[in-house]
Amino acid sequence: MAAEHRYTLAGVMGWPVAHSRSPVIHSHWIAQHRLRGAYVLLPVQPEHLHTALRSLPVLGFAGCNLTIPHKIAAMSIVDRVDPLARRIGAINTIVVEADGSLSGRNTDGFGYIQSLRDAAPRWRADAGVATVIGAGGAARAVLVGLIDSGATTIRLTNRSWAKAHDMAQEFGPTVQAVPWDERHAALADATLLVNTTNQGMHGEPPLDLRLDRLPLHALVSDIIYVPMETPLLAAARLRGHTVVNGLGMLLNQARPAFEAWFGVMPSITPELLAAVNATF
Ligand code: NAP
């Protein structure tokens, strides 16, 4: 925790990183809690990642977030990776410890689950089948979050079969791989549908998925936040589903990182939402 008299520095390291909303989020919390500190953009090319990370303690940083393309590469540079981050296979948060060593964590799974709880407080992971579309990096955090929240049956479908198959093998019997051609039928009995692919993102075509088999009480989430309402979420909303976009995941993954550096667990307030919405 930062001592009151100290100036605490943190930031987001990526390449490119100029588009990141993280400075708006963390700067808002620094001001809200009247802390002395700053959260800055850290544009670092992949070949300089090792030097940049090892410089954090020297420069007086409390830590940093990591974004594309550093989340996996950083795992072999930091001094320790916590077990949750190891299961997810990536780190999105680095904490500089008192002795100057670097600890890697991953808060994306927490962020995802918390975004569901914020939008649908009565949602329970163990209430029924969760169908996850996509088996990329973000899907790993979503799967670990769901498993650790008590999910009992997760259907995982991905355009490239091998990735879904291998991920199901890795995460155990809770996760069942479903061939891509059977994705529409994989919505039957689901209480949660989540899109973790990039389909529906700004500049990408909509996700090719028919919702007719999805029970109307199912929660529908899309971890994309540009746009806030993807074609999937628009279609689900018209069918009457409760829908959750990816902004809640982005905001909630930032909370435990901020707490680790600044010593305060921040909240998602209407003022924060207004500040972030103004960036779109
Ligand atoms: P990734 O590792 O590159 O994975 C991309 C996924 O999309 C893979 O499953 C891929 O399938 C699938 N895909 C790509 N093109 C497709 C197509 N034409 N048809 C069907 N599936 C297709 O990316 P990622 O890091 O997981 O990110 C995925 C999305 O999550 C992005 O939109 C990103 O912005 C979003 N995200 C949001 C948050 C948040 O905080 N809200 C955090 C992280 C990521 P294949 O395996 O077949 O290629």
Side-chain angles (χ1 to χ4, degrees), residues 134-138 158-160 163 180 196-199 201 223-225 246 249-250:
N158 190 56
R159 178 183 62 171
S160 310
K163 274 204 238 169
W180 186 243
T196 73
T197 75
N198 63 358
Q199 300 292 281
M201 208 167 103
I223 66 166
I224 290 169
Y225 53 87
M249 178 174 175
L250 176 75

Side-chain angles (χ1 to χ4, degrees), residues 177-231:
V178 175
W180 186 243
D181 287 349
E182 296 169 24
R183 63 194 180 283
H184 315 288
L187 305 189
D189 312 321
T191 51
L192 173 69
L193 163 64
V194 47
N195 173 40
T196 73
T197 75
N198 63 358
Q199 300 292 281
M201 208 167 103
H202 179 72
E204 294 287 337
L207 179 67
D208 179 7
L209 184 67
R210 288 196 307 272
L211 298 182
D212 47 313
R213 302 285 292 277
L214 186 67
L216 286 175
H217 57 77
L219 189 58
V220 178
S221 95
D222 197 324
I223 66 166
I224 290 169
Y225 53 87
V226 184
M228 295 275 197
E229 185 174 76
T230 58

